[in-house]
Amino acid sequence: GRLERDGSQVIHILRARPRGGATTVTAEPGGGSVFDRARVGDLVRRGRARGTIAGVNGDFFNFTSGHPSGIFMREGILVNEPEPGRSSLAITATGVLAAMQPLFSGSWEARDADGRPTGASGALDGVNRVAERGRETLLYTSDVGAATPSAGSRFEVTVALEPPARLQPNVPLTGRVVDAGPRGGHPLAAGQMVISAVGADGPGLVAGLPVGARVTISATLTGLPEDIVSAVGGGPELVRAGIAIPDAGEAFSDGQLDPAAPRAAVGRRRDGTYLLVAVEGPIHGSRGMSNAELATLMVQLGAEVAVAMDAGGSASLSTAAGPVLPGSERRVTNAVTLRYDGVSIEPLPRRRITPNRDGVAERFGPAVSVPRAGVLSVEITRRRGATRRITRRRVRATVRRFRLDPGRLGLKDGPYRVTARLEPADGSPPSSHSRDIVVDRTLADLRSAPRRTGQDRRRLDIRFRLNRPARVTVWIEDAAGRRIRTVQSGRRMRSGEQIVRWNRRAGGQLREGTHRVVVVARSGLGTSGLIEAVELPALPVGPAATPLSLLRP
């Protein structure tokens, strides 16, 4: 929903109630590498086949490299370490949200052939990020991409894991050193990790881990909630146990917390309802909010727990229908996405279909998101009428679009409901989703043409057809889309061919050049409209044309 307060604050709120565990949130990376960034809208579209229906921007990030500032975990895999002193959003396997400030400590330890420590060991200062200090040791996994960063003076050793595995918090991994050298940019093959020591840490690393040596790698995180599967950095914590935290501070500057700016947050109510919130700011023509105001807002929305995400130009919220905030989206390092693990019909580009053979809105093509394999059925039902089956087929996880032609289906005018139903092949409960449309042939065949009615007189004949009686409004817009003349307002007209005449006058002047004719008809089926661009020819030099009254055929 859209909430406007005092005309100066515009807030966008997405609420999602859990449906038996089918609705959940998850952390979504910007791309295949931690250095990749993407718009939230692109991440939502990319995840439609997996049931993604909406998303909000995630963590702060390094503008130069693109890597997240804080923790990122996905499906139990640790991709980046947390930022000390800042809260992060944790997501458990059951969809519970929690704020946390985990502490990271990583290490490597050399071992002999029998698995006993050799005495060589060292600390790991970070995971999958660029070097930020002149002396530190970093661990790189396949989440960094095809190779490690090459910048800076560093020594690296490549470890082949035995057996191949991904990096999980508090789960030691073992492997054998297969390559070592005084440079960066080492390739990362499947089942490998690279330990990279920057500056003075380099010589000790390669001395303690020569090629052939065995090594244990540990990434320890303390302060994790039980059953955690995903996490994304951000901060600060906004709401704890239903109480706002207006002055959490944390490791943020006043310049990040105090200004009225665009902001974003993720929260959860006591009943399990998820809250994805984005606030417009000065770049959108609104006042924005301080972090303290955002904390108060989340409590007002009923949040039991809430954590702020990156603010400023990064704040964004998108649904399957597209971005919600005005303007272009910034590319961000990750996002928090909302998923529905059932079949869903994407928002229709239009809800009113006018199959009257004028080439406008003749057909509709609902796109159905199928997050798992199964049997998909699509039907269309007339309100208080018969049901027509569009398709029933076995499908894989996909987004499938159907082209529905009301003429071919023999659909008469009136309200209809399109329903998709999925019976999953894995035996999980079936799901269904519906959207309403209206078939409306009331207005058709808009045709406008300038006509001469006498010496130096001009008019525009606006012709159209009504297939049922309706109240009709006709107006003229200039090339910029501004309404310059209302020719007819709410006039009741019978069915059949119609003509409305305009004397080409607006604002005391005869008009010429590009204009648009807009015809709107309101009937028992609702309101439909047609727009046509017309070119009014230049007027000859001579006496001014005499205004014409509106004539009815």
Side-chain angles (χ1 to χ4, degrees):
R2 184 179 188 274
L3 174 63
E4 187 169 338
R5 301 203 302 196
D6 301 327
S8 61
Q9 282 184 330
V10 180
I11 305 157
H12 301 275
I13 307 156
L14 193 152
R15 302 174 178 87
R17 292 187 176 90
R19 298 184 181 181
T23 305
T24 188
V25 293
T26 189
E28 188 76 23
S33 163
V34 295
F35 301 127
D36 292 338
R37 288 185 285 170
R39 299 179 180 90
V40 176
D42 293 337
L43 296 180
V44 173
R45 285 189 292 273
R46 190 173 74 188
R48 286 298 291 130
R50 301 191 305 274
T52 302
I53 56 177
V56 68
N57 66 287
D59 197 4
F60 300 81
F61 57 92
N62 184 302
F63 257 72
T64 301
S65 70
H67 75 267
S69 297
I71 191 173
F72 187 78
M73 284 180 60
R74 188 186 189 204
E75 298 176 351
I77 305 304
L78 179 63
V79 179
N80 292 93
E81 84 275 14
E83 174 77 5
R86 290 187 178 183
S87 289
S88 306
L89 179 70
I91 306 165
T92 72
T94 56
V96 174
L97 304 185
M100 64 176 185
Q101 288 193 28
L103 297 177
F104 171 79
S105 61
S107 65
W108 62 267
E109 186 175 38
R111 296 180 179 271
D112 62 20
D114 295 325
R116 294 186 294 266
T118 65
S121 63
L124 297 174
D125 300 294
V127 180
N128 292 331
R129 60 169 171 81
V130 297
E132 297 175 339
R133 292 180 290 274
R135 179 177 182 177
E136 61 180 344
T137 301
L138 303 169
L139 178 68
Y140 293 110
T141 72
S142 59
D143 293 294
V144 82
T148 64
S150 57
S153 173
R154 64 176 74 203
F155 286 77
E156 294 187 338
V157 298
T158 301
V159 180
L161 299 175
E162 300 172 350
R166 303 287 301 278
L167 185 65
Q168 294 178 275
N170 308 322
V171 179
L173 300 174
T174 60
R176 187 179 301 276
V177 177
V178 295
D179 189 20
R183 57 182 175 82
H186 276 74
L188 271 163
Q192 293 183 347
M193 293 182 182
V194 172
I195 303 174
S196 180
V198 180
D201 284 357
L205 174 68
V206 295
L209 291 176
V211 173
R214 297 186 63 79
V215 60
T216 297
I217 298 172
S218 298
T220 302
L221 281 174
T222 58
L224 292 181
E226 291 184 8
D227 206 20
I228 183 173
V229 292
S230 298
V232 61
E237 184 180 8
L238 298 173
V239 181
R240 185 188 306 155
I243 300 174
I245 309 174
D247 55 353
E250 302 187 4
F252 293 95
S253 67
D254 292 342
Q256 292 175 301
L257 301 178
D258 293 343
R263 297 191 182 272
V266 179
R268 192 173 189 263
R269 291 175 169 175
R270 184 183 293 272
D271 64 1
T273 298
Y274 295 112
L275 298 169
L276 305 186
V277 177
V279 180
E280 294 183 19
I283 60 175
H284 308 109
S286 302
R287 183 172 75 82
M289 280 188 175
S290 67
N291 194 77
E293 290 176 305
L294 183 61
T296 301
L297 170 67
M298 296 304 290
V299 170
Q300 292 171 343
L301 295 176
E304 182 75 8
V305 59
V307 176
M309 297 289 107
D310 191 6
S314 297
S316 54
L317 174 65
S318 189
T319 69
V324 173
L325 272 65
S328 61
E329 288 185 301
R330 173 183 288 172
R331 296 180 184 273
V332 296
T333 187
N334 52 43
V336 178
T337 57
L338 179 69
R339 289 185 181 178
Y340 172 58
D341 194 22
V343 67
S344 63
I345 304 175
E346 294 191 0
L348 301 174
R350 59 178 66 91
R351 294 183 59 186
R352 188 170 298 273
I353 312 302
T354 59
N356 45 34
R357 300 181 182 178
D358 63 358
V360 179
E362 296 284 338
R363 302 172 183 85
F364 61 108
V368 180
S369 173
V370 185
R372 58 179 66 189
V375 176
L376 174 67
S377 303
V378 180
E379 298 176 334
I380 185 167
T381 303
R382 182 179 174 89
R383 189 172 297 175
R384 296 185 296 275
T387 295
R388 296 285 302 274
R389 173 176 290 175
I390 306 303
T391 187
R392 179 177 172 83
R393 64 179 69 179
R394 192 173 299 278
V395 297
R396 294 180 293 179
T398 185
V399 175
R400 184 176 292 273
R401 184 175 294 277
F402 297 88
R403 301 292 294 176
L404 305 185
D405 186 335
R408 280 188 167 186
L409 293 172
L411 303 183
K412 298 181 179 180
D413 284 10
Y416 290 83
R417 174 162 291 179
V418 180
T419 300
R421 177 181 170 85
L422 177 67
E423 302 168 35
D426 60 10
S428 57
S431 61
S432 64
H433 186 225
S434 300
R435 289 195 183 273
D436 294 331
I437 66 167
V438 174
V439 177
D440 184 359
R441 299 176 176 85
T442 299
L443 178 62
D445 298 335
L446 174 59
R447 307 178 307 283
S448 304
R451 295 294 177 86
R452 181 186 294 275
T453 61
Q455 185 175 3
D456 295 331
R457 293 186 177 185
R458 300 288 186 271
R459 78 181 186 202
L460 184 70
D461 287 353
I462 303 168
R463 300 176 183 273
F464 53 91
R465 186 177 77 250
L466 291 177
N467 291 313
R468 63 175 49 81
R471 293 192 176 275
V472 178
T473 298
V474 180
W475 71 80
I476 310 298
E477 296 177 351
D478 63 15
R482 295 183 293 261
R483 185 188 295 202
I484 60 171
R485 174 73 184 271
T486 299
V487 182
Q488 174 176 297
S489 180
R491 181 179 177 183
R492 183 167 181 80
M493 305 183 78
R494 64 181 182 274
S495 60
E497 299 293 330
Q498 305 293 336
I499 181 171
V500 174
R501 292 172 175 145
W502 174 43
N503 60 13
R504 287 182 56 181
R505 284 192 170 273
Q509 295 180 342
L510 281 163
R511 307 291 297 192
E512 59 185 49
T514 302
H515 288 69
R516 298 201 309 175
V517 176
V518 181
V519 180
V520 175
R522 183 162 54 87
S523 70
L525 291 177
T527 301
S528 58
L530 289 174
I531 300 175
E532 181 186 34
V534 297
E535 188 69 26
L536 302 178
L539 300 173
V541 178
T546 303
L548 295 176
S549 301
L550 288 178
L551 300 178
R552 180 171 177 169

